[in-house]
Protein backbone atom coordinates (compact mmCIF):
# COMPACT_ATOMS: atom_id res chain seq x y z
CA UNK A 1 0.00 0.00 0.00
CA UNK A 2 1.22 3.53 -0.82
CA UNK A 3 2.26 5.19 2.41
CA UNK A 4 0.58 8.44 1.33
CA UNK A 5 -2.70 6.69 0.67
CA UNK A 6 -5.54 7.59 3.03
CA UNK A 7 -6.29 4.70 5.39
CA UNK A 8 -8.98 3.62 7.85
CA UNK A 9 -7.16 2.68 11.08
CA UNK A 10 -4.27 1.48 8.93
CA UNK A 11 -6.52 -0.37 6.47
CA UNK A 12 -7.65 0.40 2.91
CA UNK A 13 -10.22 3.21 2.97
CA UNK A 14 -12.66 0.90 1.23
CA UNK A 15 -13.01 -0.86 4.59
CA UNK A 16 -14.60 2.34 5.97
CA UNK A 17 -17.23 2.14 3.22
CA UNK A 18 -18.03 -1.50 3.94
CA UNK A 19 -17.81 -0.95 7.71
CA UNK A 20 -20.47 1.78 7.53
CA UNK A 21 -22.71 -0.16 5.16
CA UNK A 22 -22.68 -3.24 7.36
CA UNK A 23 -23.14 -1.22 10.54
CA UNK A 24 -26.30 0.45 9.19
CA UNK A 25 -27.62 -2.78 7.67
CA UNK A 26 -27.20 -4.49 11.03
CA UNK A 27 -28.87 -1.47 12.65
CA UNK A 28 -31.92 -2.06 10.47
CA UNK A 29 -31.87 -5.85 11.05
CA UNK A 30 -31.42 -5.77 14.82
CA UNK A 31 -33.78 -2.80 15.17
CA UNK A 32 -36.59 -4.73 13.50
CA UNK A 33 -35.69 -7.90 15.40
CA UNK A 34 -35.92 -6.07 18.72
CA UNK A 35 -39.61 -5.20 18.28
CA UNK A 36 -40.94 -7.76 15.78
CA UNK A 37 -42.15 -10.42 18.23
CA UNK A 38 -43.79 -7.83 20.47
CA UNK A 39 -45.57 -6.32 17.45
CA UNK A 40 -46.78 -9.70 16.22
CA UNK A 41 -48.18 -10.58 19.66
CA UNK A 42 -49.70 -7.16 20.43
CA UNK A 43 -53.48 -7.00 20.10
CA UNK A 44 -55.00 -5.19 17.10
CA UNK A 45 -56.23 -2.56 19.54
CA UNK A 46 -52.57 -1.85 20.32
CA UNK A 47 -51.63 -1.80 16.63
CA UNK A 48 -50.24 -5.34 16.49
CA UNK A 49 -51.30 -8.51 14.68
CA UNK A 50 -52.80 -10.28 17.71
CA UNK A 51 -50.87 -13.56 17.50
CA UNK A 52 -50.28 -15.84 20.45
CA UNK A 53 -46.76 -15.69 21.84
CA UNK A 54 -46.14 -19.23 20.60
CA UNK A 55 -47.10 -18.32 17.02
CA UNK A 56 -45.08 -15.09 17.17
CA UNK A 57 -42.06 -17.08 18.38
CA UNK A 58 -42.47 -19.53 15.49
CA UNK A 59 -42.75 -16.70 12.95
CA UNK A 60 -39.65 -14.92 14.29
CA UNK A 61 -37.77 -18.24 14.26
CA UNK A 62 -38.69 -19.01 10.65
CA UNK A 63 -37.93 -15.42 9.61
CA UNK A 64 -34.44 -15.63 11.13
CA UNK A 65 -33.91 -19.09 9.65
CA UNK A 66 -34.76 -17.94 6.13
CA UNK A 67 -32.44 -14.94 6.50
CA UNK A 68 -29.49 -17.31 6.97
CA UNK A 69 -30.71 -19.89 4.47
CA UNK A 70 -30.85 -17.43 1.55
CA UNK A 71 -27.17 -16.60 2.03
CA UNK A 72 -26.43 -19.65 -0.16
CA UNK A 73 -28.35 -18.52 -3.26
CA UNK A 74 -27.28 -14.93 -2.55
CA UNK A 75 -23.64 -15.90 -2.80
CA UNK A 76 -24.35 -17.83 -6.00
CA UNK A 77 -26.05 -14.81 -7.60
CA UNK A 78 -22.99 -12.68 -6.86
CA UNK A 79 -20.55 -15.32 -8.16
CA UNK A 80 -22.43 -16.04 -11.37
CA UNK A 81 -24.58 -13.00 -12.26
CA UNK A 82 -24.23 -9.64 -10.48
CA UNK A 83 -20.83 -9.61 -8.80
CA UNK A 84 -20.47 -8.80 -5.08
CA UNK A 85 -20.58 -4.99 -5.42
CA UNK A 86 -23.90 -4.83 -7.26
CA UNK A 87 -25.32 -7.63 -5.11
CA UNK A 88 -24.64 -5.57 -1.97
CA UNK A 89 -26.21 -2.46 -3.53
CA UNK A 90 -29.38 -4.20 -4.73
CA UNK A 91 -29.57 -6.20 -1.51
CA UNK A 92 -29.48 -2.99 0.54
CA UNK A 93 -32.04 -1.33 -1.71
CA UNK A 94 -34.43 -4.29 -1.41
CA UNK A 95 -33.97 -4.37 2.38
CA UNK A 96 -34.80 -0.66 2.57
CA UNK A 97 -37.95 -1.22 0.50
CA UNK A 98 -38.94 -4.03 2.87
CA UNK A 99 -38.66 -1.79 5.92
CA UNK A 100 -40.57 0.97 4.13
CA UNK A 101 -43.34 -1.52 3.40
CA UNK A 102 -43.57 -2.40 7.08
CA UNK A 103 -43.54 1.30 8.04
CA UNK A 104 -46.74 2.04 6.09
CA UNK A 105 -49.25 2.83 8.88
CA UNK A 106 -52.24 0.84 7.67
CA UNK A 107 -54.24 -1.88 9.40
CA UNK A 108 -53.92 -5.44 8.19
CA UNK A 109 -50.92 -7.64 7.65
CA UNK A 110 -50.29 -7.51 3.88
CA UNK A 111 -47.52 -4.89 3.98
CA UNK A 112 -45.95 -6.64 6.99
CA UNK A 113 -45.60 -9.97 5.18
CA UNK A 114 -44.49 -8.21 2.00
CA UNK A 115 -41.85 -6.33 3.97
CA UNK A 116 -40.52 -9.39 5.79
CA UNK A 117 -40.32 -11.37 2.54
CA UNK A 118 -38.50 -8.52 0.82
CA UNK A 119 -36.01 -8.14 3.68
CA UNK A 120 -35.21 -11.86 3.49
CA UNK A 121 -34.42 -11.59 -0.24
CA UNK A 122 -32.34 -8.44 0.20
CA UNK A 123 -30.34 -9.82 3.12
CA UNK A 124 -29.52 -12.91 1.09
CA UNK A 125 -27.89 -10.66 -1.50
CA UNK A 126 -26.12 -8.30 0.90
CA UNK A 127 -25.00 -10.30 3.92
CA UNK A 128 -22.67 -12.94 2.40
CA UNK A 129 -21.25 -10.69 -0.31
CA UNK A 130 -20.21 -7.72 1.77
CA UNK A 131 -17.96 -10.06 3.77
CA UNK A 132 -16.46 -11.34 0.52
CA UNK A 133 -15.65 -7.76 -0.48
CA UNK A 134 -13.87 -7.12 2.83
CA UNK A 135 -11.58 -10.06 2.11
CA UNK A 136 -10.90 -8.85 -1.43
CA UNK A 137 -9.54 -5.51 -0.19
CA UNK A 138 -6.33 -7.31 0.77
CA UNK A 139 -3.74 -9.29 -1.14
CA UNK A 140 -3.63 -13.05 -0.62
CA UNK A 141 -0.35 -12.72 1.29
CA UNK A 142 -1.69 -10.08 3.72
CA UNK A 143 -3.28 -12.49 6.20
CA UNK A 144 -2.51 -10.50 9.35
CA UNK A 145 -4.03 -7.23 8.08
CA UNK A 146 -7.02 -9.12 6.63
CA UNK A 147 -7.74 -10.68 10.03
CA UNK A 148 -7.43 -7.27 11.67
CA UNK A 149 -9.72 -5.78 9.03
CA UNK A 150 -12.38 -8.38 9.73
CA UNK A 151 -12.10 -7.55 13.44
CA UNK A 152 -12.93 -3.92 12.66
CA UNK A 153 -15.74 -5.08 10.39
CA UNK A 154 -17.06 -7.25 13.24
CA UNK A 155 -17.00 -4.17 15.47
CA UNK A 156 -19.25 -2.38 12.97
CA UNK A 157 -21.74 -5.25 13.15
CA UNK A 158 -21.94 -5.04 16.92
CA UNK A 159 -22.11 -1.25 17.03
CA UNK A 160 -25.19 -1.42 14.82
CA UNK A 161 -26.60 -4.28 16.88
CA UNK A 162 -26.03 -2.36 20.14
CA UNK A 163 -27.64 0.97 19.21
CA UNK A 164 -30.53 -0.39 17.10
CA UNK A 165 -32.71 -1.81 19.90
CA UNK A 166 -32.23 1.35 21.95
CA UNK A 167 -33.23 3.69 19.11
CA UNK A 168 -35.88 1.60 17.37
CA UNK A 169 -37.36 0.33 20.64
CA UNK A 170 -37.71 3.86 22.01
CA UNK A 171 -39.39 5.11 18.83
CA UNK A 172 -41.76 2.10 18.77
CA UNK A 173 -42.79 2.56 22.41
CA UNK A 174 -46.42 3.40 23.02
CA UNK A 175 -47.54 1.19 20.14
CA UNK A 176 -45.75 3.36 17.55
CA UNK A 177 -44.67 0.19 15.76
CA UNK A 178 -44.57 1.67 12.27
CA UNK A 179 -42.36 4.51 13.45
CA UNK A 180 -39.90 1.89 14.67
CA UNK A 181 -40.05 0.09 11.34
CA UNK A 182 -39.46 3.45 9.64
CA UNK A 183 -36.33 4.01 11.73
CA UNK A 184 -34.98 0.68 10.46
CA UNK A 185 -35.68 1.87 6.90
CA UNK A 186 -33.79 5.11 7.55
CA UNK A 187 -30.85 3.11 8.91
CA UNK A 188 -30.61 1.02 5.76
CA UNK A 189 -31.01 4.14 3.60
CA UNK A 190 -28.04 5.76 5.37
CA UNK A 191 -25.97 2.63 4.82
CA UNK A 192 -26.92 2.58 1.16
CA UNK A 193 -26.13 6.27 0.71
CA UNK A 194 -22.64 6.05 2.11
CA UNK A 195 -22.05 2.83 0.13
CA UNK A 196 -22.82 4.66 -3.12
CA UNK A 197 -20.78 7.72 -2.14
CA UNK A 198 -17.85 5.54 -1.09
CA UNK A 199 -17.82 3.36 -4.22
CA UNK A 200 -14.61 4.97 -5.51
CA UNK A 201 -12.80 3.80 -2.38
CA UNK A 202 -13.48 0.16 -3.30
CA UNK A 203 -11.33 0.52 -6.44
CA UNK A 204 -13.16 -2.05 -8.48
CA UNK A 205 -13.37 -4.69 -5.73
CA UNK A 206 -16.32 -6.98 -6.42
CA UNK A 207 -17.29 -5.25 -9.66
CA UNK A 208 -17.50 -8.45 -11.69
CA UNK A 209 -18.86 -11.95 -10.96
CA UNK A 210 -16.14 -14.53 -10.39
CA UNK A 211 -17.55 -17.04 -12.85
CA UNK A 212 -20.30 -15.41 -14.94
CA UNK A 213 -22.99 -17.55 -16.49
CA UNK A 214 -22.80 -18.29 -20.19
CA UNK A 215 -25.89 -17.36 -22.25
CA UNK A 216 -26.96 -21.01 -22.33
CA UNK A 217 -26.55 -21.31 -18.55
CA UNK A 218 -28.62 -18.16 -18.07
CA UNK A 219 -31.46 -19.67 -20.06
CA UNK A 220 -31.32 -22.91 -18.07
CA UNK A 221 -31.26 -21.04 -14.76
CA UNK A 222 -34.18 -18.82 -15.83
CA UNK A 223 -36.24 -21.88 -16.75
CA UNK A 224 -35.39 -23.67 -13.50
CA UNK A 225 -36.20 -20.64 -11.32
CA UNK A 226 -39.46 -20.07 -13.19
CA UNK A 227 -40.48 -23.70 -12.68
CA UNK A 228 -39.64 -23.59 -8.95
CA UNK A 229 -41.51 -20.31 -8.38
CA UNK A 230 -44.53 -21.57 -10.33
CA UNK A 231 -44.55 -24.84 -8.38
CA UNK A 232 -44.41 -23.00 -5.04
CA UNK A 233 -47.22 -20.62 -6.06
CA UNK A 234 -49.42 -23.51 -7.23
CA UNK A 235 -48.72 -25.52 -4.07
CA UNK A 236 -49.53 -22.55 -1.82
CA UNK A 237 -52.69 -21.72 -3.77
CA UNK A 238 -53.84 -25.33 -3.53
CA UNK A 239 -53.14 -25.42 0.20
CA UNK A 240 -55.10 -22.21 0.80
CA UNK A 241 -57.95 -23.51 -1.36
CA UNK A 242 -58.32 -26.59 0.86
CA UNK A 243 -59.13 -24.34 3.80
CA UNK A 244 -56.47 -26.00 5.96
CA UNK A 245 -53.84 -23.27 5.68
CA UNK A 246 -52.85 -21.63 8.97
CA UNK A 247 -49.85 -19.58 9.93
CA UNK A 248 -48.84 -22.16 12.54
CA UNK A 249 -48.97 -24.97 9.98
CA UNK A 250 -46.99 -22.87 7.51
CA UNK A 251 -44.15 -22.30 10.01
CA UNK A 252 -44.03 -26.06 10.70
CA UNK A 253 -43.80 -26.86 6.98
CA UNK A 254 -41.03 -24.29 6.46
CA UNK A 255 -39.16 -25.73 9.46
CA UNK A 256 -39.35 -29.24 8.00
CA UNK A 257 -38.06 -27.97 4.65
CA UNK A 258 -35.16 -26.20 6.36
CA UNK A 259 -34.31 -29.37 8.29
CA UNK A 260 -34.28 -31.30 5.03
CA UNK A 261 -31.71 -28.97 3.43
CA UNK A 262 -28.62 -30.06 5.45
CA UNK A 263 -29.74 -33.71 5.36
CA UNK A 264 -29.92 -33.57 1.57
CA UNK A 265 -26.69 -31.60 1.27
CA UNK A 266 -24.59 -33.83 3.51
CA UNK A 267 -26.08 -36.87 1.79
CA UNK A 268 -25.10 -35.39 -1.57
CA UNK A 269 -21.52 -34.84 -0.36
CA UNK A 270 -21.08 -38.22 1.31
CA UNK A 271 -22.89 -40.44 -1.20
CA UNK A 272 -22.20 -38.69 -4.50
CA UNK A 273 -19.13 -39.21 -6.67
CA UNK A 274 -17.07 -36.10 -5.99
CA UNK A 275 -13.59 -37.54 -5.80
CA UNK A 276 -13.40 -37.20 -2.01
CA UNK A 277 -10.39 -38.77 -0.37
CA UNK A 278 -10.81 -41.06 2.63
CA UNK A 279 -9.51 -38.27 4.89
CA UNK A 280 -12.07 -35.83 3.47
CA UNK A 281 -14.90 -38.27 4.13
CA UNK A 282 -13.69 -38.76 7.71
CA UNK A 283 -13.47 -34.99 8.17
CA UNK A 284 -17.03 -34.58 6.95
CA UNK A 285 -18.30 -37.24 9.36
CA UNK A 286 -16.75 -35.28 12.22
CA UNK A 287 -18.13 -32.02 10.86
CA UNK A 288 -21.69 -33.35 10.81
CA UNK A 289 -21.53 -33.83 14.58
CA UNK A 290 -20.20 -30.30 15.03
CA UNK A 291 -22.98 -29.04 12.74
CA UNK A 292 -25.63 -30.70 14.94
CA UNK A 293 -24.01 -29.23 18.06
CA UNK A 294 -24.02 -25.76 16.50
CA UNK A 295 -27.68 -26.09 15.53
CA UNK A 296 -28.56 -26.96 19.14
CA UNK A 297 -26.59 -23.96 20.35
CA UNK A 298 -28.37 -21.54 17.99
CA UNK A 299 -31.74 -23.13 18.81
CA UNK A 300 -31.38 -21.70 22.32
CA UNK A 301 -29.19 -18.66 21.71
CA UNK A 302 -31.47 -17.15 19.08
CA UNK A 303 -34.53 -17.23 21.35
CA UNK A 304 -33.37 -13.77 22.47
CA UNK A 305 -35.72 -11.83 20.15
CA UNK A 306 -38.74 -13.96 20.99
CA UNK A 307 -38.97 -16.00 24.19
CA UNK A 308 -36.53 -13.89 26.21
CA UNK A 309 -37.99 -10.67 24.83
CA UNK A 310 -41.47 -11.72 25.98
CA UNK A 311 -40.03 -12.57 29.40
CA UNK A 312 -38.46 -9.10 29.60
CA UNK A 313 -41.75 -7.44 28.63
CA UNK A 314 -44.04 -9.43 30.91
CA UNK A 315 -41.96 -10.65 33.84
CA UNK A 316 -39.23 -8.15 34.65
CA UNK A 317 -39.04 -4.69 36.21
CA UNK A 318 -37.60 -2.81 33.25
CA UNK A 319 -35.14 -0.60 35.06
CA UNK A 320 -31.33 -0.42 35.10
CA UNK A 321 -29.52 1.74 37.67
CA UNK A 322 -32.84 3.42 38.40
CA UNK A 323 -33.39 4.32 34.73
CA UNK A 324 -36.52 2.91 33.01
CA UNK A 325 -35.83 0.99 29.78
CA UNK A 326 -37.90 -0.63 27.06
CA UNK A 327 -38.06 -4.43 26.82
CA UNK A 328 -36.36 -4.12 23.41
CA UNK A 329 -33.33 -2.54 25.12
CA UNK A 330 -32.48 -5.94 26.61
CA UNK A 331 -31.48 -6.95 23.07
CA UNK A 332 -28.51 -4.58 23.39
CA UNK A 333 -26.93 -6.59 26.22
CA UNK A 334 -25.60 -9.26 23.86
CA UNK A 335 -23.65 -7.03 21.40
CA UNK A 336 -22.33 -4.96 24.31
CA UNK A 337 -20.83 -8.04 25.96
CA UNK A 338 -19.48 -9.27 22.63
CA UNK A 339 -17.57 -6.01 22.09
CA UNK A 340 -16.17 -6.21 25.61
CA UNK A 341 -15.06 -9.84 25.52
CA UNK A 342 -13.96 -10.41 21.90
CA UNK A 343 -10.35 -9.30 22.59
CA UNK A 344 -10.18 -11.53 25.66
CA UNK A 345 -11.35 -14.65 23.82
CA UNK A 346 -9.14 -13.93 20.81
CA UNK A 347 -6.12 -13.78 23.12
CA UNK A 348 -7.29 -16.87 25.03
CA UNK A 349 -7.58 -19.09 21.93
CA UNK A 350 -4.20 -17.85 20.72
CA UNK A 351 -2.60 -18.77 24.04
CA UNK A 352 -4.28 -22.17 24.30
CA UNK A 353 -3.38 -23.12 20.74
CA UNK A 354 -4.24 -26.72 19.85
CA UNK A 355 -4.31 -27.89 23.44
CA UNK A 356 -8.06 -27.27 23.49
CA UNK A 357 -9.80 -29.00 20.60
CA UNK A 358 -12.65 -27.72 18.49
CA UNK A 359 -15.06 -30.23 20.02
CA UNK A 360 -14.11 -29.04 23.52
CA UNK A 361 -14.78 -25.42 22.53
CA UNK A 362 -18.14 -26.44 21.09
CA UNK A 363 -18.85 -28.48 24.22
CA UNK A 364 -18.05 -25.49 26.43
CA UNK A 365 -20.37 -23.31 24.32
CA UNK A 366 -23.22 -25.78 24.78
CA UNK A 367 -22.61 -25.96 28.53
CA UNK A 368 -22.71 -22.16 28.72
CA UNK A 369 -25.95 -21.80 26.79
CA UNK A 370 -27.43 -24.63 28.87
CA UNK A 371 -26.31 -22.91 32.08
CA UNK A 372 -27.92 -19.67 30.89
CA UNK A 373 -31.27 -21.43 30.62
CA UNK A 374 -30.90 -22.94 34.09
CA UNK A 375 -30.60 -19.32 35.25
CA UNK A 376 -33.69 -18.52 33.16
CA UNK A 377 -35.58 -21.38 34.83
CA UNK A 378 -34.78 -19.91 38.25
CA UNK A 379 -35.86 -16.45 37.10
CA UNK A 380 -39.08 -17.84 35.63
CA UNK A 381 -39.83 -19.69 38.86
CA UNK A 382 -39.36 -16.50 40.88
CA UNK A 383 -41.47 -14.59 38.35
CA UNK A 384 -44.46 -16.79 39.21
CA UNK A 385 -44.71 -14.74 42.44
CA UNK A 386 -44.18 -11.34 40.80
CA UNK A 387 -41.87 -9.50 38.45
CA UNK A 388 -38.13 -10.05 38.83
CA UNK A 389 -35.16 -7.77 38.22
CA UNK A 390 -34.01 -7.32 34.64
CA UNK A 391 -30.52 -8.10 35.93
CA UNK A 392 -31.45 -11.77 35.58
CA UNK A 393 -31.43 -11.24 31.82
CA UNK A 394 -28.13 -9.37 32.02
CA UNK A 395 -26.63 -12.48 33.64
CA UNK A 396 -28.22 -14.78 31.06
CA UNK A 397 -26.83 -12.81 28.11
CA UNK A 398 -23.39 -12.58 29.73
CA UNK A 399 -23.20 -16.37 30.08
CA UNK A 400 -24.48 -16.87 26.53
CA UNK A 401 -21.84 -14.56 25.07
CA UNK A 402 -19.13 -16.74 26.61
CA UNK A 403 -20.67 -19.59 24.65
CA UNK A 404 -20.98 -17.65 21.40
CA UNK A 405 -17.35 -16.54 21.45
CA UNK A 406 -16.34 -20.17 21.96
CA UNK A 407 -18.41 -21.45 19.04
CA UNK A 408 -19.09 -18.82 16.38
CA UNK A 409 -15.56 -17.82 15.24
CA UNK A 410 -14.27 -21.34 15.87
CA UNK A 411 -17.08 -22.77 13.73
CA UNK A 412 -16.16 -20.57 10.77
CA UNK A 413 -12.54 -21.63 11.08
CA UNK A 414 -13.19 -25.36 11.37
CA UNK A 415 -15.64 -25.23 8.45
CA UNK A 416 -12.93 -23.97 6.10
CA UNK A 417 -10.47 -26.47 7.55
CA UNK A 418 -12.65 -29.58 7.16
CA UNK A 419 -14.31 -28.68 3.85
CA UNK A 420 -13.52 -31.13 1.03
CA UNK A 421 -11.57 -29.54 -1.81
CA UNK A 422 -14.52 -29.90 -4.18
CA UNK A 423 -16.78 -27.94 -1.81
CA UNK A 424 -14.43 -25.25 -0.44
CA UNK A 425 -16.48 -22.39 -1.87
CA UNK A 426 -19.79 -23.68 -0.53
CA UNK A 427 -19.05 -24.81 2.99
CA UNK A 428 -19.24 -21.41 4.69
CA UNK A 429 -22.80 -21.23 3.42
CA UNK A 430 -23.38 -24.65 4.98
CA UNK A 431 -22.17 -23.29 8.33
CA UNK A 432 -24.89 -20.64 8.20
CA UNK A 433 -27.44 -23.39 7.57
CA UNK A 434 -26.68 -24.58 11.12
CA UNK A 435 -27.91 -21.19 12.34
CA UNK A 436 -30.95 -21.53 10.07
CA UNK A 437 -31.83 -24.95 11.45
CA UNK A 438 -31.37 -23.77 15.04
CA UNK A 439 -33.55 -20.69 14.52
CA UNK A 440 -36.34 -22.66 12.83
CA UNK A 441 -36.45 -25.39 15.48
CA UNK A 442 -36.09 -22.86 18.30
CA UNK A 443 -39.14 -21.05 17.00
CA UNK A 444 -41.17 -24.23 17.22
CA UNK A 445 -40.10 -24.95 20.81
CA UNK A 446 -42.53 -22.30 22.00
CA UNK A 447 -45.30 -24.84 21.51
CA UNK A 448 -43.91 -26.71 24.53
CA UNK A 449 -45.49 -24.00 26.69
CA UNK A 450 -48.88 -25.47 25.81
CA UNK A 451 -48.00 -28.49 27.96
CA UNK A 452 -45.44 -27.16 30.46
CA UNK A 453 -44.63 -24.12 32.55
CA UNK A 454 -41.88 -21.62 31.71
CA UNK A 455 -39.44 -23.02 34.32
CA UNK A 456 -39.92 -26.52 32.90
CA UNK A 457 -39.53 -25.20 29.34
CA UNK A 458 -36.20 -23.56 30.13
CA UNK A 459 -34.95 -26.65 31.98
CA UNK A 460 -35.82 -28.98 29.08
CA UNK A 461 -33.85 -26.87 26.61
CA UNK A 462 -31.01 -26.50 29.10
CA UNK A 463 -30.86 -30.28 29.52
CA UNK A 464 -30.65 -30.80 25.73
CA UNK A 465 -27.72 -28.38 25.46
CA UNK A 466 -25.87 -29.75 28.48
CA UNK A 467 -26.23 -33.39 27.39
CA UNK A 468 -24.96 -32.46 23.93
CA UNK A 469 -22.04 -30.54 25.45
CA UNK A 470 -21.06 -33.43 27.72
CA UNK A 471 -21.23 -35.81 24.74
CA UNK A 472 -18.73 -33.65 22.85
CA UNK A 473 -16.35 -33.78 25.79
CA UNK A 474 -16.73 -37.56 26.09
CA UNK A 475 -15.99 -38.09 22.38
CA UNK A 476 -13.25 -35.45 22.16
CA UNK A 477 -10.50 -38.00 21.55
CA UNK A 478 -12.48 -39.69 18.75
CA UNK A 479 -13.44 -36.42 17.07
CA UNK A 480 -9.92 -35.09 17.40
CA UNK A 481 -8.59 -38.14 15.60
CA UNK A 482 -11.21 -37.85 12.86
CA UNK A 483 -10.35 -34.17 12.35
CA UNK A 484 -6.60 -34.79 12.55
CA UNK A 485 -6.32 -32.33 15.42
CA UNK A 486 -3.36 -32.94 17.67
CA UNK A 487 -2.50 -31.23 20.95
CA UNK A 488 0.51 -28.94 20.96
CA UNK A 489 3.27 -30.82 22.84
CA UNK A 490 4.99 -27.72 24.14
CA UNK A 491 3.92 -24.25 25.07
CA UNK A 492 3.54 -21.78 27.91
CA UNK A 493 1.62 -22.97 30.97
CA UNK A 494 -2.04 -22.05 31.17
CA UNK A 495 -2.60 -19.54 33.96
Amino acid sequence: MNKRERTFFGHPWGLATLFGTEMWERFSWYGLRAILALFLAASPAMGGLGMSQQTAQAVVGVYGALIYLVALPGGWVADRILGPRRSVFWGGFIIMCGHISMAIPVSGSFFIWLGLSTIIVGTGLLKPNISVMVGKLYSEEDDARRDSGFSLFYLGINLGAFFAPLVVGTLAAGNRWHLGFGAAAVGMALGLLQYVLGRKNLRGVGDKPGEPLTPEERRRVSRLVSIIVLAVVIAMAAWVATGTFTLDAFTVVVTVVILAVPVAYFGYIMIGEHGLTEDERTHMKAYIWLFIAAAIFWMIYDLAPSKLLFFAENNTTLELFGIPIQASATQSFNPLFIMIFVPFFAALWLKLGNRVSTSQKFGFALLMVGLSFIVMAVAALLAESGKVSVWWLVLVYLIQVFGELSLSPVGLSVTTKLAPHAFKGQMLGVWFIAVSVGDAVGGQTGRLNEIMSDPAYFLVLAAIAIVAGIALFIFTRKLRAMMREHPTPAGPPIR
Side-chain angles (χ1 to χ4, degrees):
M1 180 185 293
N2 190 324
K3 291 184 179 179
R4 296 180 182 177
E5 182 179 345
R6 187 169 62 149
T7 61
F8 178 66
F9 294 100
H11 294 271
W13 194 255
L15 181 62
T17 297
L18 300 178
F19 174 97
T21 304
E22 179 71 351
M23 181 184 71
W24 284 113
E25 186 275 330
R26 290 291 88 183
F27 176 93
S28 70
W29 157 248
Y30 282 101
L32 170 60
R33 202 176 89 137
I35 63 173
L36 181 58
L38 297 177
F39 165 74
L40 296 175
S43 69
M46 298 173 64
L49 295 190
M51 297 180 191
S52 68
Q53 289 189 6
Q54 288 81 8
T55 300
Q57 181 175 332
V59 170
V60 171
V62 164
Y63 169 64
L66 291 175
I67 286 284
Y68 285 100
L69 190 65
V70 294
L72 275 176
W76 184 90
V77 168
D79 287 342
R80 306 303 305 275
I81 301 175
L82 293 177
R85 184 185 62 78
R86 284 192 295 166
S87 294
V88 169
F89 171 79
W90 286 112
F93 180 77
I94 293 169
I95 291 170
M96 182 183 69
C97 290
H99 287 296
I100 291 173
S101 175
M102 297 185 69
I104 298 174
V106 296
S107 59
S109 61
F110 173 78
F111 286 107
I112 299 300
W113 300 127
L114 177 62
L116 290 175
S117 301
T118 306
I119 292 167
I120 289 169
V121 173
T123 307
L125 283 173
L126 186 148
K127 186 61 180 168
N129 295 308
I130 195 168
S131 299
V132 169
M133 291 178 67
V134 172
K136 289 181 178 293
L137 291 173
Y138 304 88
S139 66
E140 292 185 4
E141 299 78 24
D142 206 356
D143 288 341
R145 290 182 68 245
R146 184 187 300 107
D147 290 348
S148 176
F150 269 107
S151 296
L152 275 174
F153 184 70
Y154 193 57
L155 174 63
I157 291 174
N158 285 288
L159 281 173
F162 172 73
F163 287 109
L166 302 176
V167 174
V168 174
T170 299
L171 291 174
N175 305 324
R176 299 188 300 266
W177 307 108
H178 297 284
L179 184 59
F181 299 148
V186 170
M188 189 65 256
L190 290 172
L192 205 57
L193 176 63
Q194 66 89 44
Y195 181 70
V196 172
L197 295 177
R199 175 184 172 183
K200 61 181 182 297
N201 299 316
L202 299 175
R203 298 188 173 183
V205 167
D207 277 357
K208 297 179 181 179
E211 191 179 345
L213 293 174
T214 65
E216 176 57 29
E217 287 175 327
R218 280 180 177 271
R219 286 190 290 270
R220 287 204 303 267
V221 169
S222 297
R223 286 195 298 269
L224 179 60
V225 171
S226 299
I227 291 171
I228 292 173
V229 170
L230 183 61
V232 171
V233 170
I234 292 173
M236 287 298 298
W239 188 7
V240 172
T242 64
T244 60
F245 177 87
T246 65
L247 189 55
D248 280 317
F250 177 75
T251 62
V252 172
V253 169
V254 174
T255 298
V256 171
V257 171
I258 290 171
L259 284 169
V261 170
V263 174
Y265 193 84
F266 285 126
Y268 171 72
I269 293 176
M270 300 299 291
I271 299 173
E273 294 295 333
H274 308 293
L276 270 63
T277 66
E278 193 58 39
D279 273 354
E280 287 178 330
R281 290 187 182 277
T282 302
H283 287 169
M284 285 307 300
K285 290 177 183 177
Y287 184 77
I288 289 171
W289 290 109
L290 296 178
F291 180 95
I292 295 171
I296 293 172
F297 176 86
W298 296 116
M299 175 186 73
I300 296 175
Y301 187 87
D302 276 351
L303 290 176
S306 54
K307 187 66 179 178
L308 299 193
L309 182 60
F310 286 133
F311 185 85
E313 174 78 359
N314 301 321
N315 300 107
T316 68
T317 52
L318 290 167
E319 185 178 277
L320 282 174
F321 303 109
I323 302 173
I325 62 171
Q326 299 295 324
S328 55
T330 61
Q331 301 297 287
S332 291
F333 299 159
N334 176 282
L336 175 63
F337 288 138
I338 287 176
M339 288 187 287
I340 292 172
F341 289 104
V342 157
F344 170 79
F345 273 83
L348 176 65
W349 299 141
L350 189 63
K351 186 168 186 176
L352 292 177
N354 288 339
R355 287 172 294 181
V356 177
S357 72
T358 299
S359 61
Q360 289 172 321
K361 293 172 185 176
F362 273 51
F364 176 77
L366 286 166
L367 293 181
M368 288 297 97
V369 81
L371 175 62
S372 76
F373 264 36
I374 291 177
V375 173
M376 277 303 308
V378 174
L381 186 63
L382 294 174
E384 291 179 348
S385 302
K387 291 189 175 184
V388 299
S389 170
V390 77
W391 285 100
W392 282 97
L393 286 175
V394 173
L395 177 59
V396 167
Y397 285 120
L398 175 63
I399 296 170
Q400 288 190 352
V401 161
F402 292 159
E404 182 189 2
L405 294 177
S406 302
L407 181 139
S408 189
V410 176
L412 288 169
S413 175
V414 76
T415 297
T416 58
K417 175 185 174 183
L418 298 182
H421 180 75
F423 296 91
K424 283 287 185 185
Q426 304 172 37
M427 285 300 291
L428 280 181
V430 174
W431 169 250
F432 287 118
I433 293 177
V435 186
S436 183
V437 169
D439 282 9
V441 175
Q444 297 301 324
T445 63
R447 305 187 193 286
L448 292 174
N449 276 137
E450 297 174 1
I451 58 173
M452 62 178 62
S453 65
D454 269 355
Y457 169 87
F458 289 123
L459 284 176
V460 166
L461 294 189
I464 292 171
I466 291 171
V467 169
I470 292 173
L472 286 179
F473 278 102
I474 291 174
F475 293 102
T476 288
R477 188 183 299 274
K478 175 68 174 176
L479 288 170
R480 200 162 200 167
M482 294 171 70
M483 297 163 59
R484 300 292 190 270
E485 280 189 336
H486 301 290
T488 305
I494 302 175
R495 297 187 182 137

